[in-house]
Amino acid sequence: MVSANKQKFFFFYSNNKDVIIRPNSIEHAYLAVLNEDLISANKIFFSIDSPRAKWGRVLVSVLKGYIENYPSYFQIRNFLEIDLDFLLKNEKLDYVEQLLGALEFFSGINQETYKFTARVMYENNLLSAAYNYMQKSKETYYNDAELHFMLARYFIRVHDYELAYFYINECLNFIPDYYPAILMKQKIDELGIC
């Protein structure tokens, strides 16, 4: 049986003391993943009929090193980012590497795969990796306004305001009324750097 030491894992909450893990639940399956018991995790995911459990089957197959269950476009969109962040925060670096190794395959199903990955890396302060995945995303689908917004945020963070200005303008070329981008452009304009 998988046990929970609530002091030693991150389970999507800042405080794990109120986390309740019921047997044979999605949470139970993810706890099994954290405990590196992929066989139990897989059994639990297969016993549940839900979109999250179906993605869980894909996740487990990737973590085992081969894809038995192919993800859908929506599974990648809805769950890749969450699970990559989950694995990073729980320091499951071998599993993170396995998931990153599947990105090229996933990008053939969902062209936003690299963007999702870049966002996780950025939010976890892995800036070099974030930038690399943004570049891959740009090669896959250049016309993504959200990607250009992310690139602008990245370049502001690394104090390259000229490139930030370029990318915020690219974002606004695709969606002229994208309010967060309008605000960001105003802030860059106020700095008077570009």
Side-chain angles (χ1 to χ4, degrees):
M1 178 70 178
V2 178
S3 63
N5 180 343
K6 293 180 182 178
Q7 303 303 317
K8 290 194 168 199
F9 70 89
F10 169 82
F11 221 83
F12 308 115
Y13 308 98
S14 59
N15 183 351
N16 289 319
K17 71 178 181 146
D18 297 326
V19 174
I20 297 170
I21 299 176
R22 293 180 182 84
N24 299 314
S25 64
I26 294 288
E27 293 83 4
H28 185 199
Y30 275 92
L31 184 57
V33 168
L34 291 182
N35 283 314
E36 300 181 14
D37 184 358
L38 298 180
I39 293 170
S40 294
N42 211 30
K43 285 179 186 175
I44 296 167
F45 283 133
F46 269 98
S47 73
I48 301 169
D49 184 23
S50 76
R52 185 76 168 143
K54 289 176 183 172
W55 163 259
R57 296 172 207 160
V58 172
L59 175 67
V60 168
S61 71
V62 169
L63 298 181
K64 286 180 178 179
Y66 55 92
I67 297 180
E68 293 175 324
N69 304 290
Y70 284 43
S72 70
Y73 172 92
F74 290 107
Q75 287 172 334
I76 294 168
R77 185 187 77 181
N78 295 336
F79 305 120
L80 172 63
E81 204 170 332
I82 294 167
D83 284 357
L84 184 56
D85 186 61
F86 174 74
L87 293 171
L88 269 171
K89 284 186 170 46
N90 282 290
E91 300 176 5
K92 293 296 182 185
L93 301 184
D94 289 343
Y95 287 168
V96 169
E97 286 180 20
Q98 288 294 105
L99 205 47
L100 294 177
L103 294 181
E104 186 175 346
F105 174 74
F106 287 170
S107 72
I109 298 167
N110 184 322
Q111 63 190 7
E112 295 179 283
T113 295
Y114 291 119
K115 177 179 70 175
F116 302 146
T117 305
R119 187 169 24 237
V120 171
M121 297 301 169
Y122 184 87
E123 294 303 326
N124 282 283
N125 294 312
L126 300 168
L127 297 184
S128 178
Y131 178 72
N132 289 336
Y133 287 114
M134 285 184 230
Q135 290 300 103
K136 286 183 178 233
S137 183
K138 197 167 67 168
E139 292 167 12
T140 304
Y141 182 55
Y142 186 86
N143 295 345
D144 185 334
E146 184 182 20
L147 170 64
H148 292 289
F149 182 79
M150 288 171 59
L151 280 158
R153 281 183 65 208
Y154 168 81
F155 282 112
I156 286 172
R157 188 154 177 197
V158 299
H159 308 289
D160 188 335
Y161 300 105
E162 200 170 299
L163 279 173
Y165 197 73
F166 171 80
Y167 283 110
I168 206 62
N169 283 321
E170 284 292 276
C171 174
L172 289 167
N173 284 336
F174 296 117
I175 304 178
D177 58 348
Y178 186 38
Y179 190 67
I182 292 169
L183 292 178
M184 185 182 288
K185 184 173 181 182
Q186 288 173 351
K187 285 182 184 178
I188 294 170
D189 286 338
E190 287 170 8
L191 291 172
I193 296 172
C194 295

